[in-house]
């Protein structure tokens, strides 16, 4: 099956997954459409802006002749009939079938008309941008259930819901779309989940004021770690009085899981995992805003 992304009748691109043991790889066919391609890494934009129109592939790590080749995204173009791997983006993570957290694949922005008209095929799963012009695509395990995930990781899920994928460069701040939602405007972040054999794709879509047709890739190795280590505190929704100390979002989530009777071995595993990245993230001076999260009393 292929994910066909369109806007009304205009054909934008294909995402073609392939399963290799316990991982998933992706080929992104640009269908001859010209995109400006960007790669973002650890809070700043690498100067890797260029045009692509052929194919971009996401490859997991590979053991070859006793060497571990890391995961990589690379761009392939045809020049005079010869395949040329024009650019590659390192520092991405393997996409494991059993991934518990959403792994970002890309962000697509479409503004100018392409000429290719979409033609439906039996092996296509169709996604239509409709009124939006920006799409974020994430991979998640086939076991993913939104309500269950929200109950288990309420604060990480909340942060993910109210920030666009650009939080890695926007220093984890409230998105314009969420702020407009608070003012009852219609420019919200919408979401749909698409089932594939063996895994799921999450599409989040909204409108931006960006003017180029572009694809953005992100260093997703630290994606969840940066989000999980975002500082938050709790406040009374009515009085606005602060009701907790400032701590990482994952710490609040693990405390909730502890109160719900989660196995201590599992809690300690996640605690070690997220704490191991805390010092590194702090040392990189990613200036994150403190999220004050209102607690609504149930009457």
């Amino acid at each position: 099956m292929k994910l066909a992304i369109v806007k009304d009748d205009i054909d934008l691109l294909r995402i073609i997954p392939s399963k290799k043991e316990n991982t998933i790889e992706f080929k992104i066919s640009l269908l001859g459409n010209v995109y400006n391609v960007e790669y973002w890494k650890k809070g700043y934009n690498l100067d890797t802006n260029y045009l692509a129109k052929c194919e971009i592939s996401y490859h997991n790590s590979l053991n070859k002749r006793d060497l571990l080749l890391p995961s990589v995204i690379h761009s392939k173009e045809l020049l005079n009939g010869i395949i040329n791997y024009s650019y590659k983006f390192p520092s991405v993570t393997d996409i494991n079938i059993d991934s518990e957290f959403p792994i970002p694949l890309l962000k697509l922005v479409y503004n100018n008309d392409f000429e290719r008209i979409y033609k439906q095929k039996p092996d296509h799963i169709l996604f239509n941008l409709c009124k939006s012009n920006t799409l974020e695509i994430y991979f998640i395990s086939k076991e993913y259930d939104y309500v269950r995930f929200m109950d288990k990781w309420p604060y990480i899920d909340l942060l993910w819901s109210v920030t666009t994928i650009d939080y890695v460069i926007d220093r984890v701040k409230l998105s314009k779309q969420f702020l407009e939602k608070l003012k009852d405007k219609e420019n919200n972040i919408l979401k749909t989940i698409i089932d594939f054999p063996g895994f799921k794709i999450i599409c989040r879509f909204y409108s931006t004021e960006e003017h180029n047709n572009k694809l953005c890739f992100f260093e997703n190795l630290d994606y969840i770690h940066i989000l999980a280590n975002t500082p938050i505190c709790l406040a009374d929704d009515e009085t606005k009085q602060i009701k907790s100390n400032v701590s990482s979002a994952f710490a609040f989530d693990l405390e909730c899981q502890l109160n719900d009777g989660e196995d201590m071995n599992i809690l300690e595993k996640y605690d070690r995992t997220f704490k191991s990245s805390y010092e590194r993230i702090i040392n990189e001076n990613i200036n994150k805003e403190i999220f004050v999260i209102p607690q609504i009393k149930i009457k």
Side-chain angles (χ1 to χ4, degrees), residues 101 126 146 152 268-269 295:
F101 297 96
L126 184 65
Y146 176 65
K152 183 176 182 180
E268 289 173 357
K269 181 193 75 172
Q295 302 297 289

Side-chain angles (χ1 to χ4, degrees), residues 4 9 26 74 95 134 145 171 192 213 268 273 275 286 292:
D9 294 328
F26 291 90
H74 64 214
I95 300 182
T134 302
D145 176 88
R171 302 179 184 273
T192 187
N213 298 318
E268 289 173 357
T273 298
K275 279 184 176 177
I286 298 177
V292 179

